[in-house]
Amino acid sequence: MSVGLEEMHDNRPGLPLQASAEERARALYQVLKDKGVAADGFVEGWQKVFEEDFSPRRGAELVARAWTDPDFRDLLLSDGTAAVGQYGYLGPQGEYIVALEDSASVKHVVTCTLCSCTAWPILGLPPTWYKSFEYRARICREPRKVLAEMGTDIPAEVAIKVYDTTAETRYMVLPVRPEGTGGWSAEQLAQIVTKDCLIGVALPKAG
């Protein structure tokens, strides 16, 4: 995996040693607070949103509903933003949701070749590997090999389509409901849908 930006800044030879990104951010926040620009609790409020509200549990809930409610599945595929809006899961980084439905012949995978865009409110923050140069480059060139390295073997007869998510179109994957889940409740189904499943690099498993 690639070296993190913060690490590069701190350790590049020939450059003065810098404070860490976290230390610099805290210093900037203190300056903004001292000047009355940032209100008390502003950062803490966003931290709560990132840690508790932006979560793949929401995406899993949507998938489970789509697996059990044909009308909702149709809406999710035709107008993802409207479907997600029914739950109130839109907001920052949650605009223009497009759901990509896997099938027996097609597997979808999401990346962001420019940076690290995902649909935060329903997928959560992007994993470290998702932001790496290595993933972003290789998933476009050799998706089957990358998925295999991540533990997801896709049969040769199944096509893999890689979608480049952006600030204007935020993708989520609607995976195939696994065999052996007949009669499961929506709550049970949601338990087997992970963030990696929603990005498309993993498959939900019944057990």
Side-chain angles (χ1 to χ4, degrees):
M1 290 295 175
S2 64
V3 177
L5 185 60
E6 177 181 330
E7 188 176 346
M8 291 173 61
H9 280 178
D10 287 342
N11 299 323
R12 279 184 294 177
L15 293 178
L17 186 64
Q18 298 184 30
S20 69
E22 180 178 351
E23 291 170 326
R24 281 176 277 157
R26 290 188 181 281
L28 176 60
Y29 179 44
Q30 188 59 52
V31 170
L32 294 175
K33 286 181 65 175
D34 293 344
K35 291 183 176 294
V37 176
D40 288 340
F42 178 80
V43 170
E44 291 76 10
W46 274 107
Q47 185 175 14
K48 175 185 178 299
V49 170
F50 288 141
E51 294 179 351
E52 300 178 16
D53 297 340
F54 290 170
S55 169
R57 294 192 305 273
R58 291 176 164 184
E61 184 181 359
L62 298 170
V63 169
R65 172 88 180 274
W67 282 345
T68 56
D69 181 342
D71 290 338
F72 183 78
R73 168 190 166 275
D74 292 344
L75 177 61
L76 182 64
L77 295 175
S78 62
D79 188 344
T81 304
V84 176
Q86 289 188 356
Y87 287 78
Y89 293 163
L90 299 175
Q93 314 300 320
E95 309 89 347
Y96 320 116
I97 302 294
V98 174
L100 307 167
E101 185 180 38
D102 287 348
S103 69
S105 59
V106 178
K107 176 79 191 81
H108 296 94
V109 182
V110 177
T111 186
C112 176
T113 57
L114 291 177
C115 49
S116 59
C117 291
T118 59
W120 290 2
I122 56 173
L123 269 66
L125 298 180
T128 301
W129 56 261
Y130 181 88
K131 297 182 285 187
S132 71
F133 291 116
E134 182 179 356
Y135 171 77
R136 288 151 55 190
R138 291 187 59 214
I139 196 65
C140 298
R141 297 198 310 266
E142 45 185 10
R144 197 177 305 276
K145 184 176 181 180
V146 172
L147 292 183
E149 292 173 5
M150 299 179 79
T152 303
D153 292 312
I154 303 299
E157 63 272 19
V158 177
I160 301 176
K161 293 186 176 180
V162 179
Y163 281 72
D164 194 3
T165 198
T166 69
E168 296 180 344
T169 304
R170 299 183 182 277
Y171 295 107
M172 63 165 285
V173 173
L174 174 57
V176 174
R177 179 172 174 170
E179 295 182 1
T181 59
W184 285 27
S185 67
E187 290 75 16
Q188 288 175 298
L189 292 170
Q191 293 296 318
I192 62 174
V193 181
T194 65
K195 178 183 295 192
D196 287 0
C197 294
L198 296 166
I199 293 173
V201 298
L203 300 172
K205 298 177 181 178

